[in-house]
Amino acid sequence: VSQEREAWQWLQNIDKNSIFHWYGQSYIVPSSFTQMDTYTWLQQYHFMPWLTFDEFTRWLYSARLVSMPMMCSCKQNLKLYVCKHAVGFMIHLNLYVITDPAKLQVLGKRRGRPKKADKALSRS
């Protein structure tokens, strides 16, 4: 459910017009760390104009290459084989059905044991 919530929040925050179909089942989607738009990202992918490592990392983290089903170019997907970009994009394409849409809303409740009360006559 937390993966669905992160994916839903990511999907609500991105510009849907900045999603590019690349070829086949591959798409370029903006990441949460957006330093450039996806069109510029794609141009730099083809021409590789980076002169410094900082320029390369700025490019690398600005967009994600998502291939259906459920493959993304981010670190989390490489470790866990699922990430918010892949799940969110599948929600966008109606390929993934959310199990319980009511649980996507963050209600602001804190879970767990309540905080221990301070001593009654203590000063702080």
Side-chain angles (χ1 to χ4, degrees):
V1 174
S2 65
Q3 190 73 29
E4 287 178 347
R5 182 180 299 129
E6 285 181 30
W8 180 256
Q9 289 172 349
W10 172 80
L11 186 60
Q12 298 306 310
N13 292 332
I14 66 166
D15 179 19
K16 309 300 186 291
N17 295 326
S18 63
I19 297 173
F20 285 120
H21 179 255
W22 194 17
Y23 67 89
Q25 296 289 330
S26 298
Y27 295 86
I28 298 170
V29 298
S31 71
S32 302
F33 176 80
T34 52
Q35 291 283 321
M36 65 180 69
D37 60 347
T38 50
Y39 182 73
T40 307
W41 189 92
L42 184 59
Q43 284 181 331
Q44 289 191 5
Y45 176 82
H46 287 294
F47 298 113
M48 298 183 195
W50 316 292
L51 298 176
T52 64
F53 186 72
D54 290 336
E55 290 177 6
F56 172 73
T57 55
R58 194 177 121 230
W59 169 82
L60 182 65
Y61 294 124
S62 291
R64 300 290 178 223
L65 182 61
V66 178
S67 301
M68 292 295 123
M70 303 287 277
M71 282 301 298
C72 180
S73 61
C74 69
K75 280 195 293 188
Q76 185 176 3
N77 194 301
L78 295 175
K79 287 182 180 179
L80 303 175
Y81 303 111
V82 66
C83 72
K84 65 181 178 183
H85 308 110
V87 174
F89 191 64
M90 288 184 70
I91 292 170
H92 176 68
L93 294 178
N94 294 324
L95 297 174
Y96 184 87
V97 178
I98 299 170
T99 55
D100 190 6
K103 289 188 177 181
L104 295 178
Q105 303 298 327
V106 178
L107 301 176
K109 292 183 181 179
R110 291 181 17 179
R111 291 187 163 189
R113 185 176 177 166
K115 218 173 160 183
K116 193 173 182 180
D118 290 336
K119 295 179 182 179
L121 299 175
S122 68
R123 286 189 176 184
S124 42

